[in-house]
Amino acid sequence: MDVTSSGFNKDRVLLAGTSTWVGKIKVRALYEDVKIEDLKLTQANADVEDSVESVCLYKAEAATTDNLIACTTLDDNDKAFFDDMNYVIEEGGMKYLYIYVNSRAMSNAADGTADSHDKIAFNIDSTAGHLTAEGVDSQEPLAYGNKNGTTEAGEIVFDENNNGTYDEAGEDETAVTKAFEVAGSRISAVDLVSSYGTTSLASAITGTGVYNVAILKVTNEANSNTTATGESLKLIIDNLVLNVTKHDNAMTLNSTNPPTIERIGGTQGAKDMTYAHGIEDAGDGAGEFTIDADALMGTDAYIEAGDTAYFVIKADIDTLDSATGVVDWIKVDLNQLDGAADTNNIDWFDGYNGTSNTNYDFLRLDYTSVDGIKINENL
């Protein structure tokens, strides 16, 4: 199982009701042409069949009729069984089989049975009947290898750790594909922008006072998923952690007038954030602006499907460095879009059960950080 190629080397969020490539199987034949007769993909996480409409194999990474090998469903035993595939691999050749999952919607409809946080990931193991093949010329069935580090005629062998050596001791299965975690809503883009509408970042620091230091942009991907009562899902921002750096600790922010966040065009007004800056003692001026958004921002933390929300962050600069010729500055970044639960920049709920479900503490986009815009002092 190829888990290193682009597109297959990272865990992802799978939006319920959509389809995606989840795995890439590398197969090759030695000694003679080989026909794969039957194949069972094992789902690594139990009881996710409600979230999977079908599992398909393609001979190229394009979901066309010409490329389709077969489709099946995921059974109650967490297996996707491709019976009578009869797929031939030429001797000396190497091919890739691509695993494509069509997920179910999340809704109040009979087939809208996808569940938040179901994790889809597959591998192939050496259980009897999970992979059957035979030589085309010899018509002899292949058997699982003896794990002696060599690839011999008549053997089916695995490279579980993807190091290029097959049939090593303990290698009786492929690697597991990266995980695709189901959600009824999904953040599809995050950015830090210079302006939105009539709201813009400060162009420069000209003295002490309150400045617009960041504008956060969050997009909830379009979808048709609903709650159990048929209401359109709204993505809910849970916790926000914004990474702040500034000129060293000679430049300070007002401890009695905390930073604020406000949804541009929202209804709830500006809300205080917490400024955590314990490492300022090291002299680098770094810290974090944080807020429990769903608790403090009310409906302004909710984003409709297909909508983009913009939030302006303000900070009160209390003192500037008095040294001659020193340029004070401040910058807000998103350093950990896929961080741990307590450091991830954006934690969120998919909205199916409001905020009562477990949140998602990762975004799993193509990027893991966003560089903000540095605001410098005008001397």
Side-chain angles (χ1 to χ4, degrees), residues 43 55 69 111 123 170 225 240 268 313 315 325 329 377:
Q43 162 61 34
V55 183
I69 297 171
D111 59 352
N123 80 334
N225 294 316
L240 281 177
Q268 304 301 302
I313 293 89
W329 56 271
E377 179 186 12

Side-chain angles (χ1 to χ4, degrees), residues 81 145 298 321:
F81 182 28
D321 194 329

Side-chain angles (χ1 to χ4, degrees), residues 244-249 275-281 283-288:
V244 183
T245 52
K246 59 182 179 62
H247 175 59
D248 67 22
N249 54 11
Y275 177 34
H277 54 96
I279 58 176
E280 270 198 350
D281 293 338
D284 59 7
E288 296 173 341

Side-chain angles (χ1 to χ4, degrees), residues 26-265:
K26 180 169 67 175
V27 291
R28 63 173 180 164
L30 300 176
Y31 306 108
E32 64 174 318
D33 294 353
V34 171
K35 179 172 65 176
I36 299 175
E37 298 173 320
D38 303 323
L39 173 64
K40 286 185 180 181
L41 296 177
T42 298
Q43 162 61 34
N45 303 285
D47 301 325
V48 303
E49 61 271 12
D50 283 352
S51 292
V52 177
E53 176 70 27
S54 62
V55 183
C56 300
L57 286 178
Y58 287 85
K59 57 187 178 183
E61 196 179 351
T64 65
T65 301
D66 288 343
N67 290 330
L68 179 64
I69 297 171
C71 286
T72 188
T73 57
L74 192 60
D75 65 26
D76 293 342
N77 295 314
D78 309 308
K79 302 294 187 293
F81 182 28
F82 297 92
D83 190 16
D84 294 328
M85 281 176 56
N86 298 323
Y87 184 74
V88 175
I89 309 149
E90 292 78 16
E91 178 186 357
M94 183 167 62
K95 292 185 177 181
Y96 289 95
L97 305 180
Y98 295 86
I99 307 170
Y100 192 70
V101 166
N102 299 295
S103 69
R104 295 185 185 276
M106 186 178 295
S107 71
N108 63 339
D111 59 352
T113 55
D115 295 320
S116 303
H117 294 288
D118 271 359
K119 294 180 182 179
I120 297 169
F122 293 100
N123 80 334
I124 304 167
D125 65 39
S126 57
T127 302
H130 281 206
L131 177 56
T132 61
E134 69 173 22
V136 172
D137 293 332
S138 67
Q139 296 187 337
E140 291 291 331
L142 276 62
Y144 295 122
N146 55 10
K147 295 183 280 297
N148 64 354
T150 61
T151 302
E152 300 170 359
E155 287 188 335
I156 297 172
V157 295
F158 299 96
D159 180 16
E160 183 177 354
N161 59 9
N162 284 289
N163 68 349
T165 301
Y166 290 78
D167 207 30
E168 293 180 294
E171 290 198 326
D172 53 4
E173 61 186 0
T174 69
V176 179
T177 66
K178 296 300 182 180
F180 289 73
E181 192 155 342
V182 176
S185 303
R186 177 171 64 182
I187 294 175
S188 58
V190 173
D191 204 357
L192 291 164
V193 299
S194 60
S195 65
Y196 175 67
T198 59
T199 303
S200 300
L201 292 188
S203 58
I205 297 171
T206 56
T208 59
V210 177
Y211 290 86
N212 292 348
V213 295
I215 297 175
L216 173 65
K217 174 184 176 181
V218 181
T219 299
N220 179 15
E221 187 169 342
N223 66 79
S224 300
N225 294 316
T226 73
T227 66
T229 56
E231 299 173 348
S232 296
L233 289 189
K234 298 177 183 179
L235 185 141
I236 307 167
I237 297 177
D238 184 11
N239 297 305
L240 281 177
V241 178
L242 307 180
N243 307 109
V244 183
T245 52
K246 59 182 179 62
H247 175 59
D248 67 22
N249 54 11
M251 174 189 178
T252 65
L253 302 184
N254 193 331
S255 60
T256 62
N257 187 29
T260 62
I261 183 171
E262 182 176 5
R263 182 166 178 173
I264 299 174

